Each structure stands twice: as C-alpha cells, then as structure tokens.
Amino acid sequence: MSTSTAAPPSAPPEIGARVAFVGAGPGDLGLLTVRARDYLARADTVVVDDPETGERLAGLLREDATVVHAAAVGGPRRSPAARAKLLVREARALKQPDTLVVRVMAGDPGAFTTLSQEALACRGAGVPFEVVPGVSIASSVPTYAGVPLTSAEAGEVHIIDAADSRTDWSTSVADGVTVVLLGSPTELRKALSGLRRAGRDPQTPVCVTEHGTTVEQRSLVTDLGSAEATLAEHDSAGVVVVGRAVEQRADLSWFETKALFGWNVLVPRTRDQAGTMTQRIASHGASSKVVPTISVEPPRTPQQMDRAIRGLVTGRYEWIGFTSVNAVRAVREKFTELGLDARSFAGLKIAAVGGVTADALREWGIEPDLIPSTEQSARGLLADWPEYDDVLDPIDRVFLPRADIATDTLVAGLIEMGWEVDDVTAYRTVRAAPPPAPIRDAIKGGAFDAVCFTSSSTVRNLVGIAGKPHPNTVVACIGPATAKTAEEHGLRVDVVAPEPNAAALVDALARHGAELTLAARAAGEPVRPSQRRTAGRRGAARVRA
C-alpha cells in the first residue's frame, strides 16, 4: 500500500485576498450553513453565477461588498476556464491583507459545479482558498417535494448529471434503484429517454420539481412513459426523481401543503419592523412584499424630549412607559446623542406595551418590570398598571415617550389612577412616499393574495398612497380597531387576530388560508386568491380566529 500527501503550492501564497468556495444550497436561505452566512457577511467581493443569486443573497452581504457575475449577463455563457480567470482576477485585485472573495456555488460546491477548475486556477495563481460545503440540491429538493430517496424497498440511489452523455443507463434500470437527475429540461428529457430505452419500466413513478425549496416550488408526478412529454411544457432547470419512492409523496408532502404555500402577502409596515412578520409568513410557505406606509422622523422641536431625558437621569420619574418599538428606538438614539447608556434607568420602573416592545428593550439590556398579562395594548397596560400610592410611591410622575399621533387612552387612564404624566413626542409618523407604479398596480390589480394590517394608520396610509387592495385579496387585521378602520375604507375584512401581535395575525391568516384551500379544491377552483376572478366585492364578513 502506498501513501501520499497533498503537494504544496509551487510558490508560497501571496499575502492578500483568499477565496472561499461557498455552497449556497438549493435556494431556501434557511438552508445556508452557519459558516456560509458568516463568510458572506465578511466578504469584500462576492462572485455569483447569475444576478438572481446576487439578489437573493443581498440581505446577507455588507453594504459595501462588490457583487460580480461569473456568467456573462446578456451575452454568451462563460466557459469554466473563463470563470476561473475572472475569479483569480477578482482575488488579485484585493491587495489588503485578510480580504475575502466568496465564490458562491449552487448546492454543494463538491458536486455538479466547476469547483475543480476554479480551485486549480487559484492554486496555480498562488491564491489561497478553502471550501465550505453546502446542502446538496440532489437530496434537499426531493426531500422538500416529499420524496425520500431511500426506503426499505429502495436502498440504492444514483445521482446523475443529465448533461453527461457517457452515462450507462443500464445500471439504473432495476426497480429498487432511485434515480435523481439534475439538468435543464432538454437534458432531462434526453436522460429520461435513455433510461426508458435501457429497459426501465415505463410505469415507474417520476416526480419533476422546479424551483425546489423556495415558495415557487412546483412538483408534478407522472410516470417514465409520460415524463418526456411533461417536461416539454417546462422551461426551467429542475430535479427529477425516478423510482418507487415517488409513490410516498402523497403521504409525505409537507412543504407544498403548507397553509399559505405559494401565497404572496403584502406587508404595509416599515422595513425595520417587518422582520418578525415576514419570517412568520415564510414559515407558512408564503412570500411577502414589504411596502412602507409610514416614515418615522424626529420631533420638529427636540427641547421637550431633551428635558424629559434630563429629568429621567435626575430622578424626576417613577415610571417610563414604552408603547412601541419606535419609542424605544427614539429614547435610545437620544441617549446615544447625550452620551448616556442603559445604566441611567437605574431605580426607574419600566413598562412595555407588548412582547415586541419588550424584546426591543431586552436588546438594549433592559428587562421591563411590567408587560400586559392580557391584551397587548394601552387598555391592557392600564389593566395591570398599579394605582399611585402616596405611601409606597416616592415619586408620582410617569414619562411616556410616544408618537405625535398617539391616542389619549393611556394618558387619561394613568391620570385617573393618580399619576402625573409627561406625554412627550419622541417621534413623528408621516405618510411614506407612494410605492413604484408596478407595486401600486399589483395592489389594485389583485397580484397579492393577502394583506396584513397591523394598525389603523397602515390601512389609511396604504389606501392613501397605493389605493385599495383588490376584492380578491384576503384582508387580515391585527385587532378590532384596525378592522373597523379597514371597513370604513370599503375593505372586506376576512381575518381578525385573536391577540394584537404580528405572530397571532399571521397564524390566523394561515388558518383562514387553509380553510380557503380546502373549499377551493372541493369546488375545483384555483387555490390562491390572486388566481380567482370576481365581479365585485363580497359582503363584509369577518372571521375571527
């Protein structure tokens, strides 16, 4: 037996950029590895195969990162050698030590990619590199389609590049072999033809999946004898599974059967507040579009806020009540401006109107003393707020940093309980600029399946800057007050959340969506609301989850 070790480079690597070949997985950003996310966040230059990948990863990159397309845009496809030269050129252009070029490759870099050519080019040029494995397309897409690759009856899996003309299909005709094919529709049709001609039973089940692991995923089950004709109607690359394992899809399909799968949900909310909601929407299988309807700006005159913060530091207040994330942000920014930190809250009792606001305080290192135990609103906060006691409370004053358009419910309630209240404008909310014309047309034309309103102001402002959502669009509201405003604006309210928070709102929408899907399938109608046609608005009908 002989042993060998990897030969060192012919010359020591130059001090400068290094290259990391990173597996981007099959499409779902949630399947990126921890190391992949870390490297993408640190990258100075990111080399991707196409603009779509760059757009998909944009939120994970530094704002100053350079994105380079390895495949020529608008021209002939670059060869592997040309891509390798481009990668080396980008690495050499970064002269500073510890700079990083991330070469993003679909799925796992070690399979069905140009890793070997590009990595060898780096080695030849003295550019150090490493490889970050990713989730394989060949295994993950079938799993998302509900097709296990192995079972008690089928323990052998053949993963084949459909473009490889040298494949011996006779080795894959046995009934116990599961065949996974990757490639373009043309390549897949040729591969299926080869498998059939080699003797694989034409009745063998086949599953064709496009846009795997994304909310655009579509899977279609046929048999080997009909699969070529089925693929003739497809124009995008996909993954094909051939074998008895496909029969289990009817029972194991879990992704495409999610309550809101394939839905496009409109979220009229500021981008920095929409994260929790969009993640929840994605967990139910839907995509979302955030359209800001308000803009948060500082108060016109900062003197009132400055006096209140000085009073907070000098012990003027017994309580401070936060009624929104924006209020937390406004106070935090004022603290930074004045050179203060969370220690200034020592000895002060802190109230938060709900869990989201409380989480914003916790991110600042502050644990609230009071969060409503029932309704997360001003009324809920008042229900749990203690009355002023001149014996137990050394100070009788409350600081409320709020929006300029905040209601008087909380202030009036606290005064009635014996407290003195400094109701201070910490920020202003103004109507945002209208979204681009295509978004306005999509809202009014019914391209969105649902819209989630989180306050009365989001209803008023969305209608004001973009128009009313289409009659087919499902309208979901965070509470009765928001629902009333929506109805006053001529909207049919379909869903009202059982609790006034974003998670409950989305979950209620998902339950309603599941009911709509069952009814639509029973009636033989399109499942998604955006695919239906109606003559006008139905009578107002509210569904409380």
Side-chain angles (χ1 to χ4, degrees):
M1 182 179 75
S2 62
T3 59
S4 64
T5 58
S10 56
E14 299 176 2
I15 297 177
R18 61 192 173 96
V19 170
F21 294 93
V22 170
D28 181 355
L29 290 181
L31 297 181
L32 283 169
T33 65
V34 173
R35 181 168 292 183
R37 285 179 173 270
D38 178 49
Y39 278 27
L40 287 167
R42 291 161 48 193
D44 299 279
T45 298
V46 179
V47 180
V48 297
D49 282 324
D50 51 68
E52 290 76 15
T53 301
E55 293 173 6
R56 180 165 59 89
L57 298 175
L60 305 176
L61 310 180
R62 287 172 15 201
E63 290 187 2
D64 61 343
T66 300
V67 178
V68 178
H69 302 133
V73 178
R77 183 179 178 86
R78 284 194 178 102
S79 67
R83 297 185 189 203
K85 288 180 181 179
L86 180 145
L87 179 62
V88 169
R89 184 168 68 247
E90 292 297 330
R92 284 181 164 174
L94 299 176
K95 304 297 184 181
Q96 298 298 320
D98 297 324
T99 47
L100 177 65
V101 176
V102 169
R103 173 64 170 104
V104 176
M105 293 183 157
D108 176 40
F112 306 108
T113 69
T114 55
L115 171 67
S116 58
Q117 296 98 315
E118 296 182 31
L120 287 172
C122 288
R123 163 158 278 191
V127 175
F129 68 88
E130 58 184 291
V131 181
V132 179
V135 175
S136 168
I137 293 173
S139 60
S140 59
V141 171
T143 298
Y144 267 58
V147 179
L149 297 185
T150 62
S151 66
E153 295 77 25
E156 190 173 348
V157 180
H158 294 181
I159 300 174
I160 300 171
D161 182 356
D164 189 350
S165 59
R166 300 165 298 177
T167 302
D168 181 1
W169 296 109
S170 64
T171 63
S172 303
V173 297
D175 190 57
V177 175
T178 300
V179 179
V180 181
L181 303 171
L182 295 86
S184 68
T186 300
E187 294 165 345
L188 290 169
R189 286 198 300 271
K190 291 180 179 178
L192 289 167
S193 175
L195 187 60
R196 179 174 48 78
R197 290 198 310 270
R200 189 78 189 238
D201 184 353
Q203 300 301 313
T204 304
V206 173
C207 180
V208 180
T209 302
E210 296 179 321
H211 308 295
T213 77
T214 72
V215 292
E216 288 82 31
Q217 176 175 307
R218 294 293 179 272
S219 297
L220 188 134
V221 174
T222 181
D223 57 49
L224 185 58
S226 307
E228 294 171 59
T230 299
L231 279 168
E233 302 173 3
H234 295 251
D235 57 3
S236 60
V239 177
V240 173
V241 181
V242 181
R244 296 299 171 192
V246 175
E247 295 173 346
Q248 299 187 56
R249 170 175 156 79
D251 296 319
L252 300 183
S253 178
W254 61 273
F255 184 57
E256 293 175 49
T257 55
K258 287 191 172 187
L260 300 178
F261 181 78
W263 284 38
N264 191 13
V265 180
L266 177 65
V267 180
R269 208 173 192 190
T270 55
R271 296 188 186 282
D272 56 352
Q273 290 181 316
T276 300
M277 179 171 284
T278 56
Q279 291 171 12
R280 196 79 169 194
I281 289 170
S283 73
H284 289 292
S287 60
S288 56
K289 176 67 178 178
V290 177
V291 175
T293 58
I294 63 171
S295 176
V296 177
E297 298 182 0
R300 288 191 174 89
T301 56
Q303 290 82 359
Q304 188 186 26
M305 187 68 167
D306 291 341
R307 286 195 299 271
I309 296 299
R310 285 196 294 270
L312 182 152
V313 175
T314 56
R316 175 179 172 82
Y317 302 108
E318 178 78 4
W319 282 89
I320 179 171
F322 290 99
T323 57
S324 69
V325 173
N326 286 327
V328 176
R329 184 178 298 108
V331 172
R332 191 169 184 175
E333 289 174 354
K334 183 61 69 172
F335 267 44
T336 301
E337 178 184 326
L338 298 175
L340 303 173
D341 57 33
R343 290 174 293 182
S344 297
F345 287 103
L348 193 66
K349 296 175 183 176
I350 301 168
V353 74
V356 176
T357 304
D359 288 341
L361 286 167
R362 293 184 183 109
E363 289 177 7
W364 196 3
I366 301 167
E367 183 62 37
D369 299 283
L370 174 62
I371 304 173
S373 58
T374 54
E375 180 182 344
Q376 297 186 12
S377 66
R379 286 190 295 270
L381 199 56
L382 281 172
D384 290 343
W385 200 299
E387 292 189 6
Y388 172 67
D389 188 315
D390 57 4
V391 175
L392 298 177
D393 298 310
I395 305 170
D396 66 351
R397 192 166 292 273
V398 176
F399 172 26
L400 289 182
R402 304 197 299 162
D404 57 332
I405 60 171
T407 63
D408 294 330
T409 302
L410 183 57
V411 174
L414 290 173
I415 292 174
E416 188 175 335
M417 295 164 65
W419 295 97
E420 296 289 333
V421 181
D422 284 355
D423 185 14
V424 178
T425 298
Y427 61 95
R428 292 183 300 122
T429 56
V430 299
R431 181 175 289 180
I439 299 298
R440 299 198 301 272
D441 292 342
I443 292 171
K444 292 181 286 189
F448 290 100
D449 298 286
V451 56
C452 289
F453 289 116
T454 55
S455 67
S456 293
S457 63
T458 59
V459 176
R460 291 189 292 266
N461 290 339
L462 181 71
V463 173
I465 66 176
K468 295 180 183 179
H470 189 273
N472 286 357
T473 304
V474 173
V475 175
C477 295
I478 201 165
T482 303
K484 181 180 178 182
T485 303
E487 290 173 344
E488 290 172 350
H489 282 75
L491 302 179
R492 178 202 68 248
V493 177
D494 302 283
V495 178
V496 178
E499 299 175 21
N501 62 71
L505 173 59
V506 175
D507 291 348
L509 173 62
R511 287 190 289 271
H512 183 67
E515 294 172 0
L516 288 181
T517 297
L518 288 174
R521 286 177 175 161
E525 297 176 350
V527 170
R528 290 175 52 190
S530 61
Q531 297 171 333
R532 302 172 193 164
R533 296 181 180 178
T534 57
R537 294 183 180 274
R538 295 172 295 198
R542 183 180 304 174
V543 177
R544 281 184 172 83

